[in-house]
Amino acid sequence: EPEVTQTPSHQVTQMGQEVILRCVPISNHLYFYWYRQILGQKVEFLVSFYNNEISEKSEIFDDQFSVERPDGSNFTLKIRSTKLEDSAMYFCASRLPGQGHEQFFGPGTRLTVL
Amino acid sequence: AQSVAQPEDQVNVAEGNPLTVKCTYSVSGNPYLFWYVQYPNRGLQFLLKYITGDNLVKGSYGFEAEFNKSQTSFHLKKPSALVSDSALYFCAVRDETGFQKLVFGTGTRLLVSP
């Protein structure tokens, strides 16, 4: 069964450093998302991506964040200058086009900012 | 704006007993509702969804959910709980605007005792 994959599973970084979180969505999916979950809190939407551009972003997704689909398979989230409060689990998700299709989530990357 | 509420932080049930995890929603149009489960240190796994049609939706691992429009509820149920069902359960509603991001509830921890 196809699945969304994410690397790395855990990333530790120093405050102010740049990090890139990588995702490989399911191959025939066209809509891509990033969510985050701060420890003990609910899952929050960050950004959606379709047709090689951001389609929607939350207020969390400020200028420090960017997303890219550099080739036909990878989907990346970059944080330019990490802050302590960026420490969270980051989930990538993808879905088929059309109404009502569920999103499939990757296993997540745990980001720890020291 | 769309929202879901999960009124219980934790639900405790004995193995073999039926379980219910509650969710209520608020949408302005037709609701597209989802249940996901999160096991420790894992991603979100899709369980089931309601788009339209029968109010009783069947999903993975023997779970089902009952859509009730008059009560704006979408409770998750299982006739006979297993210890392995112990996990964090999230109800979500599809955003009606934009590109269908999911809006999650705060999650309910299900603890099934032997």
Side-chain angles (χ1 to χ4, degrees):
Chain A
E1 185 176 328
E3 59 183 17
V4 177
T5 60
Q6 290 185 244
T7 54
S9 56
H10 192 189
Q11 173 96 45
V12 181
T13 189
Q14 296 291 325
M15 190 169 54
Q17 294 296 304
E18 174 184 286
V19 295
I20 297 176
L21 311 183
R22 302 181 193 279
C23 168
V24 179
I26 295 173
S27 61
N28 59 340
H29 288 189
L30 298 181
Y31 292 82
F32 313 113
Y33 305 82
W34 284 100
Y35 294 82
R36 80 172 185 189
Q37 184 183 31
I38 294 173
L39 188 63
Q41 298 185 24
K42 68 177 177 179
V43 179
E44 302 173 288
F45 167 76
L46 290 177
V47 65
S48 59
F49 192 86
Y50 171 71
N51 200 26
N52 282 321
E53 61 182 22
I54 291 174
S55 47
E56 187 179 2
K57 59 184 181 180
S58 72
E59 51 194 36
I60 302 169
F61 195 89
D62 61 23
D63 291 345
Q64 294 301 311
F65 290 86
S66 62
V67 289
E68 194 177 39
R69 191 158 158 81
D71 53 41
S73 58
N74 291 286
F75 179 49
T76 62
L77 174 68
K78 181 193 289 187
I79 309 175
R80 287 188 187 80
S81 178
T82 50
K83 305 192 251 320
L84 295 176
E85 54 264 37
D86 293 328
S87 295
M89 185 75 113
Y90 288 80
F91 293 107
C92 173
S94 68
R95 68 169 177 89
L96 288 166
Q99 297 292 325
H101 288 291
E102 62 272 21
Q103 293 179 25
F104 289 85
F105 284 77
T109 293
R110 181 169 298 284
L111 177 65
T112 302
V113 182
L114 304 176
Chain B
Q2 292 70 235
S3 66
V4 291
Q6 295 182 245
E8 304 154 316
D9 290 336
Q10 182 163 311
V11 170
N12 299 305
V13 65
E15 188 174 32
N17 284 356
L19 69 88
T20 298
V21 182
K22 295 180 180 177
C23 172
T24 58
Y25 66 89
S26 174
V27 300
S28 54
N30 293 321
Y32 284 25
L33 297 159
F34 303 82
W35 275 102
Y36 285 83
V37 60
Q38 184 180 32
Y39 295 99
N41 301 313
R42 302 280 296 277
L44 297 162
Q45 294 180 35
F46 169 74
L47 278 179
L48 50 78
K49 65 183 177 183
Y50 173 83
I51 304 300
T52 186
D54 289 341
N55 290 340
L56 187 64
V57 178
K58 294 192 182 298
S60 306
Y61 313 120
F63 283 93
E64 57 191 27
E66 187 171 7
F67 172 72
N68 187 316
K69 188 172 183 178
S70 62
Q71 297 185 5
T72 63
S73 66
F74 188 55
H75 300 333
L76 182 69
K77 302 183 182 217
K78 188 174 182 181
S80 178
L82 299 172
V83 172
S84 56
D85 293 330
S86 298
L88 191 55
Y89 290 81
F90 289 97
C91 181
V93 64
R94 189 206 73 175
D95 187 38
E96 296 166 288
T97 61
F99 285 79
Q100 302 184 27
K101 68 176 184 284
L102 293 176
V103 177
F104 284 87
T106 49
T108 298
R109 186 164 302 282
L110 174 66
L111 185 60
V112 182
S113 54

